PDB file of all heavy atoms in Angstrom:
ATOM      1  N   ALA A 491       5.164  -5.970  -1.363  1.00 90.00           N
ATOM      2  CA  ALA A 491       4.265  -5.228  -0.482  1.00 90.00           C
ATOM      3  C   ALA A 491       4.526  -3.718  -0.592  1.00 90.00           C
ATOM      4  O   ALA A 491       3.580  -2.919  -0.594  1.00 90.00           O
ATOM      5  CB  ALA A 491       4.452  -5.677   0.965  1.00 90.00           C
ATOM      6  N   ALA A 492       5.813  -3.330  -0.676  1.00 86.00           N
ATOM      7  CA  ALA A 492       6.131  -1.908  -0.798  1.00 86.00           C
ATOM      8  C   ALA A 492       5.618  -1.346  -2.126  1.00 86.00           C
ATOM      9  O   ALA A 492       5.069  -0.242  -2.187  1.00 86.00           O
ATOM     10  CB  ALA A 492       7.644  -1.702  -0.678  1.00 86.00           C
ATOM     11  N   ILE A 493       5.807  -2.123  -3.202  1.00 87.00           N
ATOM     12  CA  ILE A 493       5.293  -1.703  -4.511  1.00 87.00           C
ATOM     13  C   ILE A 493       3.759  -1.622  -4.460  1.00 87.00           C
ATOM     14  O   ILE A 493       3.147  -0.675  -4.969  1.00 87.00           O
ATOM     15  CB  ILE A 493       5.751  -2.688  -5.611  1.00 87.00           C
ATOM     16  CG1 ILE A 493       7.256  -2.631  -5.777  1.00 87.00           C
ATOM     17  CG2 ILE A 493       5.053  -2.366  -6.933  1.00 87.00           C
ATOM     18  CD1 ILE A 493       7.803  -3.700  -6.697  1.00 87.00           C
ATOM     19  N   GLY A 494       3.134  -2.622  -3.842  1.00 89.00           N
ATOM     20  CA  GLY A 494       1.681  -2.632  -3.728  1.00 89.00           C
ATOM     21  C   GLY A 494       1.178  -1.472  -2.923  1.00 89.00           C
ATOM     22  O   GLY A 494       0.127  -0.887  -3.256  1.00 89.00           O
ATOM     23  N   PHE A 495       1.884  -1.124  -1.858  1.00 91.00           N
ATOM     24  CA  PHE A 495       1.463   0.033  -1.038  1.00 91.00           C
ATOM     25  C   PHE A 495       1.510   1.297  -1.867  1.00 91.00           C
ATOM     26  O   PHE A 495       0.580   2.116  -1.802  1.00 91.00           O
ATOM     27  CB  PHE A 495       2.378   0.174   0.175  1.00 91.00           C
ATOM     28  CG  PHE A 495       1.934   1.204   1.156  1.00 91.00           C
ATOM     29  CD1 PHE A 495       1.137   0.879   2.225  1.00 91.00           C
ATOM     30  CD2 PHE A 495       2.303   2.543   0.982  1.00 91.00           C
ATOM     31  CE1 PHE A 495       0.705   1.842   3.130  1.00 91.00           C
ATOM     32  CE2 PHE A 495       1.881   3.508   1.879  1.00 91.00           C
ATOM     33  CZ  PHE A 495       1.085   3.174   2.946  1.00 91.00           C
ATOM     34  N   ASN A 496       2.560   1.446  -2.630  1.00 88.00           N
ATOM     35  CA  ASN A 496       2.670   2.597  -3.544  1.00 88.00           C
ATOM     36  C   ASN A 496       1.479   2.670  -4.460  1.00 88.00           C
ATOM     37  O   ASN A 496       0.839   3.733  -4.622  1.00 88.00           O
ATOM     38  CB  ASN A 496       3.971   2.434  -4.353  1.00 88.00           C
ATOM     39  CG  ASN A 496       4.232   3.567  -5.316  1.00 88.00           C
ATOM     40  OD1 ASN A 496       3.531   4.576  -5.300  1.00 88.00           O
ATOM     41  ND2 ASN A 496       5.214   3.398  -6.178  1.00 88.00           N
ATOM     42  N   ASN A 497       1.106   1.550  -5.070  1.00 89.00           N
ATOM     43  CA  ASN A 497      -0.037   1.515  -5.977  1.00 89.00           C
ATOM     44  C   ASN A 497      -1.355   1.743  -5.250  1.00 89.00           C
ATOM     45  O   ASN A 497      -2.273   2.396  -5.777  1.00 89.00           O
ATOM     46  CB  ASN A 497      -0.085   0.166  -6.707  1.00 89.00           C
ATOM     47  CG  ASN A 497       1.064  -0.021  -7.660  1.00 89.00           C
ATOM     48  OD1 ASN A 497       1.646   0.968  -8.158  1.00 89.00           O
ATOM     49  ND2 ASN A 497       1.464  -1.264  -7.909  1.00 89.00           N
ATOM     50  N   ALA A 498      -1.445   1.240  -4.007  1.00 91.00           N
ATOM     51  CA  ALA A 498      -2.672   1.416  -3.225  1.00 91.00           C
ATOM     52  C   ALA A 498      -2.888   2.878  -2.861  1.00 91.00           C
ATOM     53  O   ALA A 498      -4.028   3.369  -2.893  1.00 91.00           O
ATOM     54  CB  ALA A 498      -2.620   0.570  -1.959  1.00 91.00           C
ATOM     55  N   VAL A 499      -1.796   3.576  -2.534  1.00 91.00           N
ATOM     56  CA  VAL A 499      -1.899   5.010  -2.221  1.00 91.00           C
ATOM     57  C   VAL A 499      -2.448   5.772  -3.428  1.00 91.00           C
ATOM     58  O   VAL A 499      -3.386   6.581  -3.313  1.00 91.00           O
ATOM     59  CB  VAL A 499      -0.512   5.573  -1.817  1.00 91.00           C
ATOM     60  CG1 VAL A 499      -0.535   7.095  -1.821  1.00 91.00           C
ATOM     61  CG2 VAL A 499      -0.124   5.064  -0.445  1.00 91.00           C
ATOM     62  N   LEU A 500      -1.891   5.486  -4.605  1.00 90.00           N
ATOM     63  CA  LEU A 500      -2.326   6.180  -5.807  1.00 90.00           C
ATOM     64  C   LEU A 500      -3.760   5.789  -6.186  1.00 90.00           C
ATOM     65  O   LEU A 500      -4.543   6.639  -6.622  1.00 90.00           O
ATOM     66  CB  LEU A 500      -1.378   5.865  -6.962  1.00 90.00           C
ATOM     67  CG  LEU A 500       0.083   6.325  -6.770  1.00 90.00           C
ATOM     68  CD1 LEU A 500       0.956   5.865  -7.924  1.00 90.00           C
ATOM     69  CD2 LEU A 500       0.140   7.833  -6.621  1.00 90.00           C
ATOM     70  N   ALA A 501      -4.107   4.511  -6.014  1.00 90.00           N
ATOM     71  CA  ALA A 501      -5.459   4.048  -6.337  1.00 90.00           C
ATOM     72  C   ALA A 501      -6.492   4.665  -5.426  1.00 90.00           C
ATOM     73  O   ALA A 501      -7.551   5.120  -5.872  1.00 90.00           O
ATOM     74  CB  ALA A 501      -5.534   2.523  -6.261  1.00 90.00           C
ATOM     75  N   GLU A 502      -6.186   4.703  -4.124  1.00 90.00           N
ATOM     76  CA  GLU A 502      -7.124   5.322  -3.160  1.00 90.00           C
ATOM     77  C   GLU A 502      -7.312   6.804  -3.469  1.00 90.00           C
ATOM     78  O   GLU A 502      -8.448   7.315  -3.464  1.00 90.00           O
ATOM     79  CB  GLU A 502      -6.599   5.128  -1.734  1.00 90.00           C
ATOM     80  CG  GLU A 502      -7.567   5.593  -0.653  1.00 90.00           C
ATOM     81  CD  GLU A 502      -7.558   7.102  -0.433  1.00 90.00           C
ATOM     82  OE1 GLU A 502      -6.474   7.721  -0.521  1.00 90.00           O
ATOM     83  OE2 GLU A 502      -8.636   7.672  -0.177  1.00 90.00           O
ATOM     84  N   ALA A 503      -6.208   7.495  -3.760  1.00 90.00           N
ATOM     85  CA  ALA A 503      -6.308   8.912  -4.065  1.00 90.00           C
ATOM     86  C   ALA A 503      -7.104   9.121  -5.335  1.00 90.00           C
ATOM     87  O   ALA A 503      -7.920  10.057  -5.423  1.00 90.00           O
ATOM     88  CB  ALA A 503      -4.904   9.523  -4.191  1.00 90.00           C
ATOM     89  N   GLY A 504      -6.882   8.251  -6.312  1.00 88.00           N
ATOM     90  CA  GLY A 504      -7.606   8.372  -7.584  1.00 88.00           C
ATOM     91  C   GLY A 504      -9.107   8.148  -7.423  1.00 88.00           C
ATOM     92  O   GLY A 504      -9.906   8.913  -7.972  1.00 88.00           O
ATOM     93  N   MET A 505      -9.470   7.122  -6.646  1.00 89.00           N
ATOM     94  CA  MET A 505     -10.889   6.840  -6.472  1.00 89.00           C
ATOM     95  C   MET A 505     -11.575   7.895  -5.631  1.00 89.00           C
ATOM     96  O   MET A 505     -12.719   8.268  -5.870  1.00 89.00           O
ATOM     97  CB  MET A 505     -11.060   5.431  -5.849  1.00 89.00           C
ATOM     98  CG  MET A 505     -10.814   4.313  -6.849  1.00 89.00           C
ATOM     99  SD  MET A 505     -11.251   2.671  -6.232  1.00 89.00           S
ATOM    100  CE  MET A 505      -9.869   2.380  -5.158  1.00 89.00           C
ATOM    101  N   SER A 506     -10.869   8.415  -4.627  1.00 89.00           N
ATOM    102  CA  SER A 506     -11.436   9.498  -3.807  1.00 89.00           C
ATOM    103  C   SER A 506     -11.561  10.767  -4.645  1.00 89.00           C
ATOM    104  O   SER A 506     -12.513  11.526  -4.481  1.00 89.00           O
ATOM    105  CB  SER A 506     -10.561   9.737  -2.572  1.00 89.00           C
ATOM    106  OG  SER A 506     -10.589   8.634  -1.708  1.00 89.00           O
ATOM    107  N   TYR A 507     -10.618  10.972  -5.550  1.00 88.00           N
ATOM    108  CA  TYR A 507     -10.686  12.127  -6.452  1.00 88.00           C
ATOM    109  C   TYR A 507     -11.938  12.049  -7.314  1.00 88.00           C
ATOM    110  O   TYR A 507     -12.600  13.056  -7.578  1.00 88.00           O
ATOM    111  CB  TYR A 507      -9.443  12.161  -7.320  1.00 88.00           C
ATOM    112  CG  TYR A 507      -9.396  13.300  -8.310  1.00 88.00           C
ATOM    113  CD1 TYR A 507      -8.881  14.530  -7.968  1.00 88.00           C
ATOM    114  CD2 TYR A 507      -9.884  13.132  -9.619  1.00 88.00           C
ATOM    115  CE1 TYR A 507      -8.847  15.590  -8.849  1.00 88.00           C
ATOM    116  CE2 TYR A 507      -9.843  14.169 -10.514  1.00 88.00           C
ATOM    117  CZ  TYR A 507      -9.342  15.417 -10.149  1.00 88.00           C
ATOM    118  OH  TYR A 507      -9.328  16.441 -11.051  1.00 88.00           O
ATOM    119  N   LEU A 508     -12.288  10.827  -7.730  1.00 85.00           N
ATOM    120  CA  LEU A 508     -13.471  10.619  -8.571  1.00 85.00           C
ATOM    121  C   LEU A 508     -14.768  10.628  -7.747  1.00 85.00           C
ATOM    122  O   LEU A 508     -15.856  10.606  -8.317  1.00 85.00           O
ATOM    123  CB  LEU A 508     -13.363   9.300  -9.335  1.00 85.00           C
ATOM    124  CG  LEU A 508     -12.229   9.232 -10.368  1.00 85.00           C
ATOM    125  CD1 LEU A 508     -12.122   7.817 -10.942  1.00 85.00           C
ATOM    126  CD2 LEU A 508     -12.473  10.244 -11.504  1.00 85.00           C
TER     127      LEU A 508
END
Side-chain angles (χ1 to χ4, degrees):
I493 294 171
F495 187 93
N496 181 9
N497 293 334
V499 166
L500 297 176
E502 186 280 323
M505 285 189 283
S506 294
Y507 179 87
L508 295 173

